[in-house]
């Protein structure tokens, strides 16, 4: 029986792009369905009634939601080109840092780029605080890279894919908002990693066009905090 | 070489109890170190410099943090009595719902029990809203139990352990705060499950004493929202 693999996503989302990146790395064919997030389809609501969010992977009719859960499912279902290491301790590390990116980095980055709507004086202080926080968080990832080419070692793995937000979206957020976060002086390893990461075929094929994303972000969130 | 397994935890925390439950289920001996959360030890800060939180499992000198990450590590390191199913789809489901408990249920339950500090009239409305939200979230778990004895099927698994917050702590929170959330009328399956869950030896041995926990919660958070 031919497998049916569907991905419900949104073109600019690092989360649904994660799913596509993993499938591309493993050479799995899939059908991509673009969701209009302002008017979600009955299929999306049926497949993810809990969170009503993209991404959802539907494999032979069975839905899996939450990008990190999907990545693990993909790795356990299609064994070629594993994205998690074999060693339990290294696997725990990859999971720990992927969770860290989603739970700590993302909101901090967003705050540093677009922040909350304060009056002028307060906004400046809050912006500085947020930039400092992002800097501390990125330092942990800089250290975690050690002397490795990718977080996954010699090849791209689950943590690299989860870090797509740092490897590609962060640079776009910086340009759209004017914030300066991932500087080469402070984070040479992360910058080198990001440069290599976006050149990997399965990754490169799944990055939304920079100009389109910048236009979308500016339209949605304004010119950013740094310019306030 | 004898294995060294340390658990840094706090007696009343469902998160460090999760780690102990999994180790007990698998029959792994460990040394438990109680942390004073108001004055964290240098060891805890060394082993979990990112979050500075319990629980931390230290296995032969190597630390793993974040309770769900630790549970996966335990399952991959000590294979007896697996706590995750074999089937990738069922594994994804267990991970999805464990994440759901941590990211959605916990804050909603806490809000329904102790809420924010509003003036009287607003507090009542917010309390009602929070109770309704918890009810909707618990309904998802009620449905997920289906006709199974445990979330893990015939034996306790990762999702049961992650759901310890619903299976034991929630009842204690209700008593301490006066909120009524997990009612038998609405959630017969979850109530039956909770009754069975707390009787499993490895679980029962890892539940903090009810009276001590209630006294601690009332002292820390007050008499609760429902009585406002």
């Amino acid at each position: 029986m031919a497998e049916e693999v569907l991905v419900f996503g949104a073109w600019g989302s690092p989360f649904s792009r994660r799913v596509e990146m993993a499938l591309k790395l493993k050479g799995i064919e899939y059908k991509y369905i673009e969701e209009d997030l302002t008017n979600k389809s009955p299929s999306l609501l049926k497949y993810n009634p809990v969170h009503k969010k993209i991404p959802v992977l539907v494999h032979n009719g069975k839905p899996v939601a939450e990008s990190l859960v999907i990545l693990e499912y993909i790795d356990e279902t299609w064994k070629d080109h594993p994205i998690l290491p074999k060693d339990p301790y290294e696997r725990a590390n990859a999971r720990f840092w992927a969770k860290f990116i989603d739970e700590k980095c993302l909101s901090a980055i967003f705050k540093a780029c677009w922040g909350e709507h304060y009056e002028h004086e307060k906004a400046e202080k809050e912006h500085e605080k947020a930039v400092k926080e992002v800097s501390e968080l990125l330092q942990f990832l800089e250290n975690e890279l050690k002397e490795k080419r990718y977080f996954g070692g010699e090849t791209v793995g689950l943590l690299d894919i989860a870090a797509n937000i740092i490897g590609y979206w962060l640079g776009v957020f910086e340009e759209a908002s004017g914030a300066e976060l991932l500087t080469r002086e402070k984070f040479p390893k992360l910058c080198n990693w990001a440069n290599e990461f976006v050149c990997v075929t399965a990754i490169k094929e799944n990055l939304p066009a920079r100009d389109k994303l910048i236009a979308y972000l500016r339209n949605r969130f304004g010119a950013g905090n740094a310019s306030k």
Side-chain angles (χ1 to χ4, degrees), chain A residues 11 31 34 39 79 92 116 129 131 134 147 165 187 221:
Chain A
W11 68 272
K31 188 182 162 196
E34 173 75 17
N39 180 24
K79 310 279 188 191
E116 325 259 357
K129 213 172 112 188
V131 169
V134 170
E147 302 308 318
I165 291 163
F187 308 108
F221 302 113

Side-chain angles (χ1 to χ4, degrees), chain A residues 97-140:
Chain A
W97 291 111
K99 201 169 185 290
F100 167 80
I101 288 168
D102 280 9
E103 292 177 12
K104 302 287 270 186
C105 297
L106 199 66
S107 60
I109 286 171
F110 205 83
K111 213 169 158 187
C113 289
W114 288 281
E116 325 259 357
H117 296 285
Y118 297 107
E119 326 90 81
H120 185 74
E121 207 172 313
K122 204 169 169 194
E124 252 176 49
K125 266 194 201 151
E126 287 295 316
H127 174 69
E128 272 170 37
K129 213 172 112 188
V131 169
K132 191 166 166 265
E133 193 192 343
V134 170
S135 191
E136 286 165 8
L137 296 172
L138 292 179
Q139 191 60 53
F140 282 117

Side-chain angles (χ1 to χ4, degrees), chain A residues 37-218:
Chain A
L37 299 182
T38 61
N39 180 24
K40 293 170 184 173
S41 73
S43 296
L44 179 68
L45 303 179
K46 180 182 85 179
Y47 287 132
N48 190 1
V50 178
H51 302 293
K52 304 178 177 70
K53 289 197 300 194
I54 56 103
V56 178
L57 175 87
V58 184
H59 182 203
N60 295 333
K62 294 199 282 187
V64 188
E66 298 284 60
S67 68
L68 297 182
V69 175
I70 298 172
L71 293 184
E72 299 242 15
Y73 176 78
I74 289 173
D75 207 34
E76 291 177 349
T77 301
W78 296 285
K79 310 279 188 191
D80 280 355
H81 193 112
I83 56 173
L84 272 170
K86 272 193 185 162
D87 175 68
Y89 190 73
E90 287 178 32
R91 291 166 75 85
N93 259 339
R95 289 181 180 126
F96 175 87
W97 291 111
K99 201 169 185 290
F100 167 80
I101 288 168
D102 280 9
E103 292 177 12
K104 302 287 270 186
C105 297
L106 199 66
S107 60
I109 286 171
F110 205 83
K111 213 169 158 187
C113 289
W114 288 281
E116 325 259 357
H117 296 285
Y118 297 107
E119 326 90 81
H120 185 74
E121 207 172 313
K122 204 169 169 194
E124 252 176 49
K125 266 194 201 151
E126 287 295 316
H127 174 69
E128 272 170 37
K129 213 172 112 188
V131 169
K132 191 166 166 265
E133 193 192 343
V134 170
S135 191
E136 286 165 8
L137 296 172
L138 292 179
Q139 191 60 53
F140 282 117
L141 292 172
E142 174 85 3
N143 298 346
E144 180 55 22
L145 261 175
K146 301 181 184 94
E147 302 308 318
K148 292 179 291 189
R149 183 170 180 188
Y150 302 110
F151 287 104
E154 276 309 299
T155 52
V156 162
L158 180 139
L159 178 52
D160 295 277
I161 295 172
N164 68 359
I165 291 163
I166 317 288
Y168 183 71
W169 273 258
L170 177 52
V172 180
F173 290 175
E174 288 179 289
E175 194 174 331
S177 71
E180 281 183 31
L181 301 166
L182 185 65
T183 59
R184 180 159 287 282
E185 294 161 280
K186 276 193 187 166
F187 308 108
K189 288 179 188 173
L190 268 179
C191 287
N192 287 343
W193 164 79
N195 288 344
E196 293 237 23
F197 175 71
V198 297
C199 292
V200 175
T201 309
I203 307 301
K204 192 163 54 180
E205 288 176 351
N206 275 298
L207 300 174
R210 200 176 173 95
D211 290 352
K212 192 178 163 192
L213 196 52
I214 288 175
Y216 169 81
L217 290 164
R218 285 203 176 136

Side-chain angles (χ1 to χ4, degrees), chain A residues 3-5 23 27-31:
Chain A
E3 288 200 301
E4 188 196 45
V5 182
L23 291 170
I28 307 303
E29 287 192 28
Y30 61 93
K31 188 182 162 196

